[in-house]
Every structure is written in C-alpha cells, then in structure tokens.
Amino acid sequence: MDNKPLITIAFDGFSSSGKSTMAKSLAKRIGYAYIDTGAMYRAVTLYCIEHNLFDGQKLDTEELKRQMPDIRITFQVEKDGKSVTCLNGRNVEKEIRMMPVSSKVSIVAAVPFVRHALVRQQQEMGKNKGIVMDGRDIGTVVFPDAEMKVYVNASPETRARRRYDELKAKGDTTTTYEDVYKNVCERDYIDSHREETPLRKADDAIELDNSDMTIEEQDKWLMGLYERTISNLKRQ
Ligand code: DC
C-alpha cells in the first residue's frame, strides 16, 4: 500500500440496496477489510431459529439474553479469498441469506441488548481503521467519526428484483417475487421505525441512489469519493 492515510468507511442503507456489493468491491480495490454487519444480525437470528427461541414471529428475548454469551460470530477467509460468516465456528453463509432468516432478522435486530453486543464487537473490529463496514447504523452509531460515509438508496421494486434474482441464483425455487417484495417493504418499515437506533442517514453522509446505475458506474463514483476524501484529509 502507498502512504495514503487509513480511514474508516461506513455504508448504510435499506436492505438489498446493493450496498454490500459496492462496499465489498471498494474494500478489495483499496486493500481494506470488509465487514457485513447484516450478516452478524442474520447469524444471531439463525441461532434463535435453531434453538427454538421463536414461537411464530414471537421471540423469547429473556432466553436469548441468557444464551447471548454462547453466541460467537466470526468471519473466516476461505481458500478462494471469500469471507464467510461463521456461527460458533460453523460456516452459515448460505443459510443466513435464505428466507427463514430474512423473515425474522428485523425482529432480532430490534432487540437492544443484541444491538449493544454486536456494536461493541464491530467497534473492536474497526478500531485500527482501514475498514469498510456496511449496515444500518454504521455512520450514526458504530463509527460516527468515520471519514467517509455513504448512504445508499434504491426503489423497493429495484431492491426486491435484485434479492429475488440472488435467491434464484442460489437455487431457491419456491420464493416468488411478490414474497420478496413484501419482505423488503416489511423490513424497511421495521428497520426505520424501531425504537433502538432506527435506520437514518447520518447528517454528514453522502447519499447515492443507484436504481439506474451499473456496477461499473457505482465503482467509479465510489473511487472518486474515496480519492476526494483522502486528498481532503491530506490537505488538513
Ligand atoms: O443488510 P441485511 O439485509 O443483510 O441486514 C439484515 C437485517 O439486519 C436487516 O433487517 C437490518 C438489520 N441490520 C441492522 O439493524 N443493523 C445493521 N448494522 C445491519 C443490519
């Protein structure tokens, strides 16, 4: 790496806004670590499902609180260089992206003690900078002092179409586009109306609506913003 200062880069936005793709691609180009914080909330949700902590859509928060110290979430880099999410040492990357987890994750992500535990872990992961983190509260709560903050948006239809195509590519043959669209709208509502740190744009975040942008256009836009952020820092 050259002598550019290391910074913290925060990506926030609604589900399936394409922020993970953008964040991952930027991290790779500039040699930064990438952390998908949504995957952490998803892994806790999978744990709750597997340990029967859900009765329908009702979560036994008391029991989850008791079991929280037993939940260990880590990221492991595979031979092909891809990072996968592990729940107590088991690769759960595929399961956490499926509908049973997607349909319950907003409930788990609204629980204050879950958020506090995961935020602490995220702050620890990013304490040395040189990190790109994506989520809902990165620029507002996890790293309010991040030097570069991006708030990504796209229409619910565009986002549902992306998630639907992803599910099909992963072999899901039962979920319909309408199911995905409904799930996207429900999660938007819960994520932006929950009491505990709802999704909102940080005042100093740069907003990007990528509904009509290609991946290449997004990458170019991001690199431009990164370069400008670095040169502003060097000037200070
Ligand atoms: O980005 P995603 O769709 O994988 O996120 C899954 C869920 O976790 C989503 O409902 C919002 C929640 N989440 C959150 O509340 N805070 C974060 N930092 C990341 C995700």
Side-chain angles (χ1 to χ4, degrees), residues 97-114:
R97 310 287 165 193
M98 295 299 182
M99 278 305 268
V101 170
S102 296
S103 67
K104 290 187 163 62
V105 63
S106 285
I107 301 169
V108 174
V111 179
F113 66 80
V114 172

Side-chain angles (χ1 to χ4, degrees), residues 11-12 31 66 70 112 125 130 137 143 147 166 208 215 222:
F11 277 81
D12 288 301
R66 218 183 51 74
D70 301 338
M125 287 169 171
D137 56 347
F143 294 116
E147 292 83 353
E166 249 170 52
L208 172 71
I215 301 278
L222 276 178

Side-chain angles (χ1 to χ4, degrees), residues 11-17 19-20 36-42 45 96-97 101-102 104-110 115 118-119 122 133-138 142 163 183 186-188 190-191 194 196-199:
F11 277 81
D12 288 301
F14 283 120
S15 62
S16 308
S17 57
K19 59 185 182 330
S20 310
D36 171 4
T37 61
M40 300 170 77
Y41 290 94
R42 286 173 178 273
T45 307
I96 60 170
R97 310 287 165 193
V101 170
S102 296
K104 290 187 163 62
V105 63
S106 285
I107 301 169
V108 174
R115 300 204 69 81
L118 296 191
V119 166
Q122 291 152 12
M133 200 171 269
D134 96 50
R136 303 294 189 286
D137 56 347
I138 311 304
V142 183
R163 191 68 122 198
N183 177 249
E186 272 168 14
R187 283 203 289 146
D188 282 3
I190 303 179
D191 293 343
R194 67 176 175 229
E196 184 79 14
T197 58
L199 169 67

Side-chain angles (χ1 to χ4, degrees), residues 99 164 167-168 172-181:
M99 278 305 268
Y164 175 76
L167 285 172
K168 294 292 122 172
D172 180 336
T173 52
T174 51
T175 309
T176 65
Y177 169 79
E178 285 68 32
D179 294 335
V180 180
Y181 180 75

Side-chain angles (χ1 to χ4, degrees), residues 5 7 16 18 71 79 82 85 136 138 142 156:
I7 61 169
S16 308
I71 307 179
K79 282 196 204 90
K82 283 205 180 114
T85 314
R136 303 294 189 286
I138 311 304
V142 183

Side-chain angles (χ1 to χ4, degrees), residues 27-121:
K28 198 168 169 201
R29 283 179 81 156
I30 62 177
Y32 276 25
Y34 162 72
I35 301 289
D36 171 4
T37 61
M40 300 170 77
Y41 290 94
R42 286 173 178 273
V44 177
T45 307
L46 180 65
Y47 178 95
C48 294
I49 295 172
E50 289 181 339
H51 290 77
N52 300 316
L53 301 187
F54 272 106
D55 179 6
Q57 292 295 95
K58 202 183 163 322
L59 175 65
D60 185 343
T61 46
E62 280 311 304
E63 190 52 31
L64 175 58
K65 195 173 203 170
R66 218 183 51 74
Q67 295 191 25
M68 202 63 201
D70 301 338
I71 307 179
R72 200 169 49 84
I73 299 157
T74 48
F75 294 97
Q76 193 181 306
V77 180
E78 297 286 89
K79 282 196 204 90
D80 60 5
K82 283 205 180 114
S83 165
V84 296
T85 314
C86 297
L87 171 60
N88 293 336
R90 171 167 63 103
N91 176 351
V92 292
E93 190 57 39
K94 204 162 168 209
E95 285 155 281
I96 60 170
R97 310 287 165 193
M98 295 299 182
M99 278 305 268
V101 170
S102 296
S103 67
K104 290 187 163 62
V105 63
S106 285
I107 301 169
V108 174
V111 179
F113 66 80
V114 172
R115 300 204 69 81
H116 297 164
L118 296 191
V119 166
R120 260 200 312 278
Q121 198 179 335

